[in-house]
Amino acid sequence: MPPAAAPGRRAGRGRTLLLALAGLVVLCALVTVSVANGEMPLPPVEAAKGLFGAGDAGTVLIVQEFRAPRMTAAIVAGAGLAVGGALLQRLFRNPLASPDVMGVTGGASFGAVAMLAAGASQAMIPLAALGGGLLAAVLLGVFGWRSGTSVTRLVLVGLAVQAGLTAAVSFMIVSFPTELAGSALQWTTGSLYGRTWTEVWSAGGAVAVGLALAFALHRRLAVLDLGDDSAGTLGLNTHTARLQVLVIAIVLASLAAALTGPVAFVALAVPHMVRFLAGPPTAGTLALSALAGAVLLLASDLVAQYLLPVSGLPVGVVTATLGAPWLLVLMIRQSSSVNRSAR
């Protein structure tokens, strides 16, 4: 390492650490607000005690059984979506590469809604969502390969896959009985309403494993950043490494979607925010992405619950409202950079 690079790297690690500490403080504040508010408001101190099983039995019941599952689902899903998006953007070296743009979350919705139609238990939803996400990845690979290997073309094919699977989900919903269509429609807009510990433990536990594997693959990603030729010289099988990263990203996004539905914006925007604030990707910035995703999704859910005039608004509406202009700006910037390189 050049002598001049060492101070810069230490400064980057220090900045990442400070941002992580700030993020943890914000997350703790949001957790307190989440468990203290509801149809029966609780004092923040009592709500925080109830979260850890202290205090009177009524408070513990309200916090642990009704509010904590929703709050935990937001944290876990936000972290999974953000890390999945960071992995895809780094793998494809494209700011538009994210699970919600490339069809993965649409596939997860398709699998989950199909399982709902079959009358399966809630515990099977994560498995169905994972299967749908993998289906979307297969479709992306088949049609993207036929269209060429350009990352921009893959993104366009991903948008087409997302649109097609969303249409299939809509067709299933209008074909459902009325009582089933309402719950399926709410889920597909991206909602944390009614989450239970069964869903959190099944999907959330798998997301935690996926996050651990993502951090374990960080060294391979760092080698891939050097380019295929250099990575091959260092002994890395680039095709296998890329496939491993891709599968982990799909698993994280699909399982997160099993908890929240197809929530937009989180996987797309959080990696950009982290790069802007913390600098080039490292293991620390990957952890910071997970934390930022958890903060963003939990904050969006609180906005949907308490700060908007319409009650019962799904969190996906809030994130989509933020994500639409962000995606437009990214596509304009991407198009401008392509035009400049073509001159």
Side-chain angles (χ1 to χ4, degrees), residues 3-286:
R9 180 165 295 188
R10 284 195 296 269
R13 282 199 290 262
R15 185 167 59 249
T16 300
L17 180 60
L18 287 176
L19 289 170
L21 291 174
L24 285 173
V25 171
V26 173
L27 183 61
C28 289
L30 292 174
V31 166
T32 303
V33 172
S34 180
V35 297
N37 288 277
E39 293 185 4
M40 183 184 294
L42 298 170
V45 175
E46 295 301 317
K49 289 181 180 179
L51 184 61
F52 295 99
D56 66 90
T59 299
V60 172
L61 177 65
I62 292 172
V63 171
Q64 291 192 348
E65 295 302 321
F66 297 105
R67 297 179 184 176
R70 178 170 184 158
M71 175 266 296
T72 306
I75 292 173
V76 172
L81 287 170
V83 172
L87 292 178
L88 287 178
Q89 289 178 16
R90 192 172 176 187
L91 181 65
F92 291 113
R93 300 174 186 175
N94 189 297
L96 295 176
S98 74
D100 41 350
V101 173
M102 302 184 74
V104 176
T105 54
S109 296
F110 176 81
V113 171
M115 188 62 70
L116 286 173
S121 66
Q122 291 291 328
M124 294 298 295
I125 297 298
L127 186 61
L130 177 57
L134 292 174
L135 171 64
V138 170
L139 293 174
L140 178 64
V142 170
F143 294 109
W145 176 76
R146 288 181 179 178
S147 300
T149 57
S150 167
V151 174
T152 302
R153 288 178 179 175
L154 283 176
V155 171
L156 293 176
V157 171
L159 289 171
V161 169
Q162 180 87 349
L165 291 171
T166 301
V169 169
S170 299
F171 176 77
M172 285 192 290
I173 289 176
V174 299
S175 304
F176 283 168
T178 304
E179 63 276 6
L180 186 57
S183 60
L185 182 61
Q186 184 183 46
W187 189 88
T188 56
T189 55
S191 176
L192 289 161
Y193 177 78
R195 294 286 79 85
T196 65
W197 282 121
T198 299
E199 297 167 307
V200 171
W201 284 119
S202 56
V207 169
V209 173
L211 290 172
L213 292 174
F215 287 108
L217 289 174
H218 178 265
R219 286 184 177 273
R220 298 190 179 190
L221 263 176
V223 176
L224 286 174
D225 288 342
L226 300 175
D228 287 357
D229 292 337
S230 298
T233 302
L234 294 173
L236 181 67
N237 187 325
T238 56
H239 295 293
T240 300
R242 289 182 185 279
L243 180 61
Q244 290 172 337
V245 174
L246 180 61
V247 169
I248 293 300
I250 292 171
V251 167
L252 284 172
S254 300
L255 293 173
L259 282 172
T260 64
V263 172
F265 176 66
V266 177
L268 179 67
V270 167
H272 292 278
M273 296 178 181
V274 170
R275 279 196 298 271
F276 176 76
L277 294 172
T282 62
T285 59
L286 191 62

